[in-house]
Amino acid sequence: MASRSEAKARAFAKDNDAHVYYDSYQALAKDPKVDIVYVATPHVFHAEHTLLCLKQNKAVLCEKPIAMNVFQFKTMQEAAKSNNCFLMEGLWTNFMPHLQKVHELIQQNTYGHCLKMEADFSFKAEFDPYKRLFNKNLGGGALLDIGIYPVYLALKLLGLPQDIEASCEYSSTGVDASNQIEFKYANGASAQLSSSFLKTTASQAKVYFEEAVVEFGSRFHETDKFTIKTDTGTQSFDYNYPANGYQFEIEHVHRCLHRGLVQSPEMSLEASYQLISTLDEIRHKMGLQYKEDKPYKE
Ligand SMILES: NC(=O)c1ccc[n+]([C@@H]2O[C@H](COP(=O)([O-])OP(=O)(O)OC[C@H]3O[C@@H](n4cnc5c(N)ncnc54)[C@H](OP(=O)(O)O)[C@@H]3O)[C@@H](O)[C@H]2O)c1
């Protein structure tokens, strides 16, 4: 663990039973004994802190969103390539058993084509213009913080949309306090996606197939339960795993490093590219720009 403050790093290390800590991110990146760094600073620092580590030949697991925009992402991707280092976006929900199972059912075309999806992730956040969620200088806003989960669910299960519509309500700090997004697909399928800091909802997701409806429990991104309803009845799945679910992502990263991979086969840099490009396009439709953005290209 590393912090910009020695006292904070020491206290955090003590609380978490760690024997080693660093009083700067630079010191962490330089330590030859470190194999991999988990970058969990606010979004606007993901590119800077990932590059710091990659340049010291460290593998990096970077929190979501991997970057503020596609321009930053490309720099990170190039640095990973030129240093031959592992880089993966920490989109932990990708490794959850419920999502893996539904993805598998789609690959096997078990219930016919996917016709429609609905996914929402919302909670009432305390308004503080200085803290990360509403602070534009720290990359605040619902889309990049929690809207990324419904967006990723649609990309994972339905693929890249042909067309995107999006709108949002702005907070007084100039970030999206809530948003509504529609993905339209060439085959007629659609996805209704939303996220908000203004109200707490059940944060559920439903996927409608030709022959079944898959319903994820609340909250859909972290649930261990889902049901499949067909004409003949309802099948319930309950994975009932211990801890909060981060273990699936952590185990996957360990396996990648043991195999000497520089990319995850399950959360590839191409998947991250598609995700960040889609988020860029949604922001363009909502009219939301950050200081890190360059002019948007259609
Ligand atoms: N996977 C998940 O479930 C999940 C959940 C929450 C958040 N996240 C992601 O994790 C990232 C961090 O979120 P968070 O809520 O933990 O953020 P946060 O508490 O606001 O910041 C995390 C740490 O970043 C460090 N930091 C470095 N430079 C900073 C600066 N200039 N200003 C403020 N902090 C700075 C601070 O550590 P020091 O002061 O010790 O240096 C701070 O404690 C975000 O990108 C978010 O999307 C993921």
Side-chain angles (χ1 to χ4, degrees):
M1 41 201 65
S3 169
R4 295 164 301 165
S5 138
E6 197 273 341
K8 222 172 137 183
R10 185 164 16 94
F12 197 72
K14 190 164 175 253
D15 286 352
N16 291 281
D17 245 349
H19 306 293
V20 182
Y21 60 87
Y22 305 84
D23 60 3
S24 74
Y25 301 148
Q26 289 74 10
L28 165 72
K30 276 190 187 150
D31 186 342
K33 294 199 282 297
V34 170
D35 299 315
I36 179 160
V37 177
Y38 168 48
V39 172
T41 48
H43 320 332
V44 289
F45 304 112
H46 288 178
E48 177 188 333
H49 294 150
T50 295
L51 291 173
L52 176 74
C53 299
L54 290 173
K55 284 175 184 166
Q56 297 291 337
N57 296 308
K58 298 288 182 273
V60 174
L61 170 64
C62 179
E63 260 302 342
K64 39 57 63 174
I66 193 162
M68 286 302 290
N69 51 45
V70 89
F71 299 103
Q72 285 192 342
F73 171 75
K74 284 192 170 163
T75 321
M76 297 157 83
Q77 188 179 25
E78 277 158 26
K81 196 173 172 201
S82 59
N83 289 283
N84 200 30
C85 283
F86 177 84
L87 173 61
M88 188 186 106
E89 181 168 16
L91 206 86
W92 64 296
T93 52
N94 183 64
F95 302 95
M96 298 293 266
H98 68 287
L99 184 53
Q100 300 263 331
K101 179 70 187 170
V102 175
H103 185 243
E104 192 185 299
L105 294 174
I106 291 183
Q107 300 294 301
Q108 294 164 350
N109 202 21
T110 315
Y111 299 110
H113 292 302
C114 180
L115 305 172
K116 194 171 76 159
M117 175 197 280
E118 295 159 358
D120 165 67
F121 187 172
S122 302
F123 68 92
K124 174 106 179 84
E126 185 197 342
F127 180 75
D128 183 333
Y130 302 106
K131 285 199 182 153
R132 186 176 70 75
L133 296 188
F134 287 98
N135 185 338
K136 197 167 184 183
N137 288 327
L138 292 179
L143 176 69
L144 296 189
D145 195 52
I146 49 177
I148 189 169
Y149 292 114
V151 167
Y152 182 69
L153 187 70
L155 294 183
K156 174 97 180 168
L157 300 185
L158 276 75
L160 278 170
Q162 189 181 45
D163 193 29
I164 296 177
E165 282 177 17
S167 61
C168 71
E169 291 74 42
Y170 283 100
S171 74
S172 57
T173 52
V175 300
D176 62 316
S178 65
N179 58 65
Q180 305 78 36
I181 303 155
E182 183 174 15
F183 284 3
K184 291 179 182 162
Y185 290 86
N187 66 357
S190 65
Q192 311 289 335
L193 314 168
S194 55
S195 60
S196 175
F197 287 150
L198 301 178
K199 59 182 178 190
T200 299
T201 66
S203 297
Q204 285 165 321
K206 270 189 188 182
V207 192
Y208 300 79
F209 295 91
E210 286 172 307
E211 292 159 23
V213 179
V214 173
E215 223 172 316
F216 294 111
S218 170
R219 303 183 301 175
F220 81 84
H221 72 300
E222 61 186 0
T223 187
D224 53 3
K225 297 174 189 55
F226 72 94
T227 57
I228 301 177
K229 290 182 186 162
T230 62
D231 284 348
T232 54
T234 300
Q235 203 183 350
S236 298
F237 292 77
D238 187 348
Y239 289 96
N240 193 24
Y241 51 75
N244 57 12
Y246 290 121
Q247 66 266 35
F248 302 110
E249 172 186 61
I250 295 167
E251 285 162 2
H252 174 76
V253 170
H254 275 278
R255 282 194 295 274
C256 289
L257 295 186
H258 280 296
R259 288 171 60 196
L261 301 180
V262 288
Q263 268 199 54
S264 157
E266 290 180 35
M267 186 70 222
S268 65
L269 292 178
E270 175 58 26
S272 287
Y273 172 75
Q274 291 187 0
L275 177 57
I276 194 67
S277 319
T278 304
L279 293 171
D280 277 6
E281 192 177 341
I282 294 169
R283 288 202 291 113
H284 176 66
K285 296 274 160 86
M286 300 191 321
L288 173 58
Q289 283 220 315
Y290 294 96
K291 62 184 185 318
E292 291 77 12
D293 291 335
K294 291 192 177 169
Y296 183 86
K297 287 196 190 97
E298 293 276 4

